[in-house]
């Protein structure tokens, strides 16, 4: 297998990001990743969630390349199912529509909906709430029934139409991949969390950098700052020398 391309992200940036974002909730963590990539986090917080996901995936490409690899468990036979996605292709799914109007006919009459796509800030505000879905609906939609009813009385088919409209407007907000289990042939869907992919890579890279610091500090008596000041390729060359002499 060919070696991965050298990361243009500084080692110090990776360590600082891992330290600062460890223990944070997904949205604040993704905003911190976006900030490390030089993105306007205030704008991303008020933009559709898919835009934040796109920024996080861009950081993944800069850090480790566009390939995203994952393993999920088949719900039918519990076998491990591997799959891979392309981060740059996913970024192309970022939607442009931010709001719209919807009319949903029902047996009792038409429901009218004025909606806007949930932002990263919206998701951060409702995270952890037991009524998160209902609260998000109230924040992002103005729903009126045929008799003046509000969103709390909306029938299931109205909610489903709203969810479909929001998903179509911001397809990168929730990504689902259809998979085929190679063991039992079962077909199932797997949810893809762009923020989780990026954070996994950040933590993995941070551990690797710390191992490099440990090896080179022991071999040459350098401080952590000395090691981190070296470009990645130069660190790799010194590490190879240390391994050859072991």
């Amino acid at each position: 297998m060919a070696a991965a391309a050298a990361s243009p992200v500084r080692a110090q940036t990776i360590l600082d990001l891992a330290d600062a974002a460890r223990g944070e909730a997904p949205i604040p963590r993704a905003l911190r990743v976006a900030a490390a990539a030089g993105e306007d986090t205030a704008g991303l917080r008020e933009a559709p969630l898919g835009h934040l996901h796109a920024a996080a995936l861009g950081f993944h490409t800069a850090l480790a390349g566009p390939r995203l690899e994952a393993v999920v468990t088949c719900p039918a036979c519990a076998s491990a199912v591997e799959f891979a996605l392309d981060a740059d292709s996913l970024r192309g799914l970022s939607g442009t529509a931010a709001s719209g109007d919807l009319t949903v006919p029902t047996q009792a009459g038409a429901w009218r909906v004025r909606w806007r796509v949930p932002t990263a800030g919206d998701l951060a505000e409702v995270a952890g709430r037991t009524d998160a879905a209902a609260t998000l609906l109230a924040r992002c939609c103005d729903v009126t029934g045929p008799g003046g009813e509000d969103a709390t009385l909306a029938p299931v088919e109205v909610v489903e139409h709203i969810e479909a409209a929001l998903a179509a407007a911001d397809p990168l907000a929730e990504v689902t991949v259809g998979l085929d289990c190679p063991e039992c042939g079962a077909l199932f869907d797997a949810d893809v969390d762009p923020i989780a992919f990026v954070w996994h890579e950040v933590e993995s890279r941070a551990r690797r950098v710390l191992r490099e610091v440990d090896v080179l500090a022991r071999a040459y008596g350098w401080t952590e700052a000395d090691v981190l000041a070296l470009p990645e390729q130069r660190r790799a060359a010194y590490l190879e020398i240390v391994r050859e002499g072991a």
Side-chain angles (χ1 to χ4, degrees), residues 171-241:
L172 194 52
E174 294 185 10
V175 181
T176 302
V177 179
L179 298 175
D180 181 351
C181 177
E183 294 296 326
C184 70
L187 302 177
F188 65 97
D189 292 333
D191 293 329
V192 174
D193 182 350
I195 297 174
F197 269 104
V198 177
W199 182 244
H200 173 79
E201 191 61 41
V202 168
E203 286 203 309
S204 176
R205 291 288 172 133
R207 287 193 297 270
R208 194 185 81 178
V209 169
L210 290 175
R211 285 195 296 269
E212 292 174 355
V213 169
D214 179 66
V215 171
L216 294 180
R218 291 172 184 273
Y220 296 101
W222 293 336
T223 66
E224 179 180 272
D226 293 333
V227 177
L228 296 179
L230 294 171
E232 184 172 341
Q233 289 182 326
R234 184 63 60 85
R235 289 202 313 274
Y238 277 115
L239 286 166
E240 188 63 29
I241 291 172

Side-chain angles (χ1 to χ4, degrees), residues 132-143:
T135 302
L136 192 62
L137 181 67
R139 288 174 68 95
C140 300
C141 300
D142 181 10
V143 182

